[in-house]
Amino acid sequence: MLTKIAHIGVAVSNLQEALAFYKAVGIEPSHIEDVPSQKVKVAFITIGDVHIELLEPSSPESPIAGFLDKRGQGMHHIAYEVRDIHTVLKTLKDKGIKLINETPVEGAHEMMVAFVHPKSASGVLTELCQHK
Ligand code: ZN
């Protein structure tokens, strides 16, 4: 059901400051975009086959703003690519897995995304995403 790691999400208080590390090693973000559904601005860093998603809150009500207040900057979630997000969500729900989104929402990169609660995924906030 999960086809690969789509990206690793890192919560940052300031994208430009976070990008300084990557720029210092010669890596520019492949993509920067606003994701209104999550109230975040994201920058994607690509290293080999792996993508790092840096997330800066674009509003004080952003879930990332809450995360930064509680935990500070750092690793926020792992995202897995799936082929059929609706079927995966239904299967997880039927098996008693705690979901944050029971129906997918609009994510970055024109993907449909839904989050699994960390309580059901070994303490790791888990994102499922599917290309539209
Ligand atoms: Zn993500």
Side-chain angles (χ1 to χ4, degrees):
M1 284 197 172
L2 310 181
T3 55
K4 65 173 192 173
I5 292 180
H7 60 261
I8 296 166
V10 177
V12 305
S13 44
N14 181 294
L15 270 188
Q16 290 312 317
E17 283 174 20
L19 286 170
F21 162 71
Y22 296 97
K23 288 181 176 175
V25 290
I27 300 169
E28 292 291 329
S30 55
H31 182 81
I32 295 183
E33 95 176 77
D34 270 306
V35 184
S37 71
Q38 306 292 326
K39 299 187 176 72
V40 290
K41 189 171 170 188
V42 303
F44 277 91
I45 300 290
T46 303
I47 300 162
D49 291 336
V50 178
H51 305 284
I52 307 291
E53 179 186 57
L54 303 173
L55 306 119
E56 176 195 280
S58 54
S59 141
E61 293 95 63
S62 166
I64 296 298
F67 181 89
L68 290 171
D69 283 347
K70 256 193 278 173
R71 315 256 298 259
Q73 297 191 99
M75 207 186 121
H76 181 258
H77 65 271
I78 296 183
Y80 299 105
E81 206 167 300
V82 300
R83 281 200 193 89
D84 180 354
I85 197 166
H86 292 95
T87 300
V88 175
L89 287 171
K90 185 181 180 319
T91 303
L92 292 174
K93 194 182 174 195
D94 289 349
K95 292 189 174 174
I97 302 295
K98 196 171 174 196
L99 303 174
I100 293 174
N101 306 104
E102 292 192 6
T103 51
V105 297
E106 184 97 7
H109 279 191
E110 299 198 328
M111 304 271 263
M112 303 291 292
V113 307
F115 285 90
V116 176
H117 199 284
K119 279 189 177 144
S120 284
S122 314
V124 178
L125 177 63
T126 299
E127 178 181 359
L128 306 170
C129 43
Q130 180 194 338
H131 288 286
K132 278 197 215 155

Coordinates of all heavy atoms in Angstrom, one line a residue, residues 29-73:
P29 N 16.7 25.0 -3.0 CA 15.4 24.3 -3.0 C 14.9 24.1 -4.4 O 15.1 24.9 -5.3 CB 14.5 25.3 -2.2 CG 15.2 26.6 -2.3 CD 16.7 26.3 -2.4
S30 N 14.3 22.9 -4.6 CA 13.8 22.6 -6.0 C 12.5 23.3 -6.2 O 12.0 23.5 -7.3 CB 13.6 21.1 -6.2 OG 12.8 20.6 -5.2
H31 N 11.9 23.7 -5.1 CA 10.5 24.2 -5.2 C 10.1 24.9 -3.9 O 10.4 24.4 -2.8 CB 9.7 22.8 -5.4 CG 8.2 23.0 -5.5 ND1 7.7 23.3 -6.7 CD2 7.2 22.9 -4.7 CE1 6.4 23.3 -6.6 NE2 6.1 23.1 -5.4
I32 N 9.4 26.0 -4.0 CA 8.9 26.7 -2.8 C 7.5 27.0 -3.1 O 7.1 27.5 -4.1 CB 9.7 28.0 -2.4 CG1 11.1 27.6 -2.1 CG2 9.0 28.7 -1.3 CD1 12.0 28.8 -1.6
E33 N 6.6 26.7 -2.1 CA 5.2 27.0 -2.4 C 4.4 27.2 -1.1 O 4.8 26.7 0.0 CB 4.5 25.9 -3.2 CG 3.8 24.7 -2.5 CD 3.1 23.7 -3.5 OE1 3.9 22.9 -4.0 OE2 1.9 23.8 -3.6
D34 N 3.3 27.9 -1.2 CA 2.3 28.1 -0.1 C 1.3 26.9 -0.1 O 0.8 26.6 -1.2 CB 1.6 29.4 -0.3 CG 2.3 30.5 0.4 OD1 2.6 30.4 1.6 OD2 2.6 31.5 -0.2
V35 N 1.0 26.4 1.0 CA 0.0 25.3 1.1 C -1.1 25.8 2.1 O -1.0 25.6 3.3 CB 0.6 24.0 1.6 CG1 -0.4 22.9 1.6 CG2 1.8 23.6 0.7
P36 N -2.1 26.5 1.5 CA -3.1 27.1 2.4 C -3.8 26.1 3.2 O -4.2 26.5 4.4 CB -4.1 27.8 1.4 CG -3.4 27.8 0.0 CD -2.3 26.7 0.1
S37 N -4.1 24.9 2.8 CA -4.8 23.9 3.6 C -4.1 23.6 4.9 O -4.7 23.3 5.9 CB -5.1 22.7 2.8 OG -3.9 21.9 2.7
Q38 N -2.8 23.7 4.9 CA -2.0 23.4 6.1 C -1.4 24.7 6.8 O -0.7 24.6 7.7 CB -0.8 22.5 5.8 CG -1.3 21.2 5.1 CD -2.1 20.2 6.0 OE1 -1.9 20.2 7.2 NE2 -3.0 19.6 5.5
K39 N -1.7 25.8 6.2 CA -1.2 27.1 6.6 C 0.3 27.1 6.8 O 0.8 27.5 7.8 CB -1.9 27.6 8.0 CG -3.4 27.7 7.8 CD -4.0 28.3 9.1 CE -5.5 28.6 9.0 NZ -6.3 27.4 9.0
V40 N 1.0 26.6 5.7 CA 2.4 26.6 5.8 C 3.0 27.0 4.4 O 2.3 27.0 3.4 CB 3.0 25.2 6.0 CG1 2.7 24.7 7.5 CG2 2.4 24.1 5.1
K41 N 4.3 27.5 4.5 CA 5.0 27.7 3.3 C 6.1 26.6 3.3 O 6.7 26.4 4.3 CB 5.7 29.1 3.4 CG 6.3 29.6 2.1 CD 6.7 31.0 2.3 CE 7.6 31.4 1.1 NZ 8.2 32.8 1.3
V42 N 6.3 25.9 2.2 CA 7.2 24.8 2.2 C 8.3 25.0 1.1 O 8.1 25.6 0.1 CB 6.5 23.4 1.9 CG1 5.4 23.2 3.0 CG2 5.9 23.3 0.6
A43 N 9.5 24.5 1.5 CA 10.6 24.5 0.5 C 11.0 23.0 0.4 O 11.1 22.3 1.4 CB 11.7 25.3 1.0
F44 N 11.2 22.5 -0.8 CA 11.6 21.1 -1.0 C 13.1 21.1 -1.4 O 13.6 21.8 -2.3 CB 10.8 20.5 -2.1 CG 9.5 19.9 -1.6 CD1 8.4 20.7 -1.7 CD2 9.5 18.6 -1.1 CE1 7.2 20.2 -1.2 CE2 8.3 18.1 -0.6 CZ 7.1 18.9 -0.7
I45 N 13.8 20.2 -0.7 CA 15.2 20.0 -0.9 C 15.3 18.6 -1.5 O 14.7 17.7 -0.9 CB 16.0 20.1 0.4 CG1 15.9 21.4 1.1 CG2 17.5 19.7 0.2 CD1 16.6 22.5 0.4
T46 N 16.1 18.4 -2.5 CA 16.2 17.0 -3.1 C 17.7 16.6 -2.9 O 18.6 17.3 -3.4 CB 15.8 17.0 -4.6 OG1 14.4 17.5 -4.6 CG2 15.9 15.6 -5.1
I47 N 17.8 15.4 -2.3 CA 19.2 14.8 -2.1 C 19.1 13.4 -2.6 O 18.4 12.6 -2.0 CB 19.6 14.9 -0.7 CG1 19.7 16.3 -0.2 CG2 21.0 14.2 -0.5 CD1 19.7 16.5 1.3
G48 N 19.7 13.1 -3.7 CA 19.5 11.8 -4.3 C 18.0 11.6 -4.6 O 17.4 12.4 -5.3
D49 N 17.4 10.4 -4.1 CA 16.0 10.1 -4.4 C 15.2 10.7 -3.2 O 14.0 10.4 -3.2 CB 15.8 8.6 -4.4 CG 16.4 8.0 -5.7 OD1 16.6 8.8 -6.6 OD2 16.8 6.8 -5.6
V50 N 15.8 11.3 -2.2 CA 15.0 11.7 -1.0 C 14.7 13.2 -1.1 O 15.6 14.0 -1.5 CB 15.9 11.4 0.2 CG1 15.2 11.8 1.5 CG2 16.2 9.9 0.3
H51 N 13.5 13.5 -0.6 CA 13.1 14.9 -0.5 C 12.9 15.3 0.9 O 12.4 14.5 1.7 CB 11.8 15.1 -1.3 CG 11.8 14.7 -2.7 ND1 12.5 15.4 -3.7 CD2 11.3 13.6 -3.3 CE1 12.4 14.8 -4.8 NE2 11.7 13.7 -4.6
I52 N 13.4 16.5 1.3 CA 13.2 17.0 2.6 C 12.2 18.2 2.4 O 12.4 19.0 1.5 CB 14.5 17.6 3.2 CG1 15.6 16.5 3.2 CG2 14.3 18.1 4.6 CD1 15.4 15.4 4.1
E53 N 11.2 18.2 3.2 CA 10.2 19.3 3.1 C 10.4 20.2 4.3 O 10.1 19.7 5.4 CB 8.8 18.7 3.1 CG 7.6 19.6 3.0 CD 6.3 19.0 3.2 OE1 6.1 18.3 4.2 OE2 5.5 19.1 2.3
L54 N 10.8 21.4 4.1 CA 11.0 22.3 5.2 C 9.7 23.1 5.3 O 9.2 23.6 4.3 CB 12.1 23.3 4.9 CG 13.5 22.7 4.7 CD1 14.5 23.7 4.2 CD2 14.0 21.9 5.9
L55 N 9.1 23.2 6.5 CA 7.8 23.8 6.7 C 7.9 25.0 7.6 O 8.3 24.8 8.8 CB 6.8 22.7 7.3 CG 6.6 21.4 6.6 CD1 7.1 20.3 7.5 CD2 5.2 21.2 6.1
E56 N 7.5 26.1 7.1 CA 7.4 27.3 8.0 C 5.9 27.7 8.1 O 5.2 27.7 7.1 CB 8.2 28.5 7.3 CG 8.1 29.8 8.0 CD 8.6 30.9 7.0 OE1 9.8 31.1 6.9 OE2 7.7 31.6 6.5
P57 N 5.5 28.0 9.3 CA 4.1 28.4 9.5 C 3.8 29.7 8.7 O 4.6 30.6 8.8 CB 3.9 28.6 11.0 CG 5.2 28.6 11.6 CD 6.2 28.0 10.6
S58 N 2.6 29.8 8.1 CA 2.3 31.0 7.4 C 1.2 31.7 8.2 O 0.7 32.8 7.8 CB 1.8 30.8 6.0 OG 0.8 29.8 5.9
S59 N 0.8 31.2 9.3 CA -0.2 31.8 10.2 C 0.0 31.3 11.6 O 0.4 30.1 11.8 CB -1.6 31.5 9.7 OG -2.5 31.2 10.7
P60 N -0.4 32.1 12.6 CA -0.2 31.6 14.0 C -1.1 30.4 14.3 O -0.9 29.6 15.2 CB -0.7 32.7 14.9 CG -0.7 34.0 14.0 CD -0.8 33.5 12.6
E61 N -2.2 30.2 13.4 CA -3.1 29.0 13.6 C -2.6 27.8 12.9 O -3.2 26.7 13.0 CB -4.5 29.3 13.1 CG -5.3 30.3 13.9 CD -5.1 31.7 13.3 OE1 -5.6 31.9 12.1 OE2 -4.5 32.6 13.9
S62 N -1.4 27.9 12.2 CA -0.9 26.7 11.5 C -0.5 25.6 12.5 O 0.0 25.9 13.6 CB 0.4 27.2 10.8 OG 1.1 26.0 10.4
P63 N -0.8 24.3 12.2 CA -0.3 23.2 13.0 C 1.2 23.3 13.3 O 1.7 22.9 14.3 CB -0.7 22.0 12.2 CG -1.5 22.4 11.1 CD -1.5 23.9 10.9
I64 N 1.9 23.8 12.3 CA 3.4 23.9 12.5 C 3.7 25.0 13.5 O 4.7 24.8 14.3 CB 4.1 24.3 11.1 CG1 3.9 23.1 10.1 CG2 5.6 24.5 11.3 CD1 4.5 21.8 10.5
A65 N 2.9 26.1 13.6 CA 3.2 27.1 14.7 C 3.0 26.4 16.0 O 3.8 26.6 17.0 CB 2.2 28.2 14.5
G66 N 1.9 25.6 16.2 CA 1.7 24.9 17.4 C 2.9 23.9 17.8 O 3.3 23.8 18.9
F67 N 3.3 23.2 16.8 CA 4.5 22.3 16.9 C 5.7 23.0 17.4 O 6.4 22.6 18.3 CB 4.7 21.5 15.6 CG 5.8 20.5 15.7 CD1 5.6 19.2 16.0 CD2 7.2 20.9 15.4 CE1 6.6 18.3 16.1 CE2 8.2 20.0 15.4 CZ 7.9 18.6 15.8
L68 N 6.0 24.2 16.8 CA 7.2 24.9 17.1 C 7.1 25.4 18.6 O 8.1 25.4 19.3 CB 7.4 26.1 16.1 CG 7.8 25.7 14.7 CD1 7.8 26.9 13.8 CD2 9.2 25.1 14.7
D69 N 5.9 25.9 19.0 CA 5.7 26.4 20.3 C 6.0 25.3 21.3 O 6.6 25.5 22.4 CB 4.3 26.9 20.5 CG 4.1 28.2 19.9 OD1 5.1 28.9 19.5 OD2 2.9 28.6 19.8
K70 N 5.5 24.1 21.0 CA 5.6 22.9 22.0 C 7.0 22.3 21.9 O 7.5 21.9 23.0 CB 4.5 21.9 21.7 CG 3.4 21.9 22.6 CD 2.5 20.7 22.5 CE 1.5 20.9 21.3 NZ 0.8 19.7 21.0
R71 N 7.5 22.0 20.7 CA 8.6 21.1 20.6 C 9.9 21.9 20.0 O 11.0 21.3 20.0 CB 8.3 19.9 19.7 CG 7.0 19.3 20.0 CD 7.1 18.0 20.8 NE 7.8 17.0 20.0 CZ 7.2 16.0 19.4 NH1 5.9 15.9 19.3 NH2 8.0 15.1 18.8
G72 N 9.7 23.0 19.4 CA 10.8 23.7 18.8 C 11.0 23.1 17.4 O 10.3 22.2 16.9
Q73 N 12.0 23.6 16.7 CA 12.3 23.2 15.3 C 12.8 21.7 15.3 O 13.4 21.3 16.3 CB 13.4 24.0 14.7 CG 13.1 25.5 14.6 CD 14.1 26.2 13.7 OE1 13.9 26.4 12.5 NE2 15.2 26.5 14.3

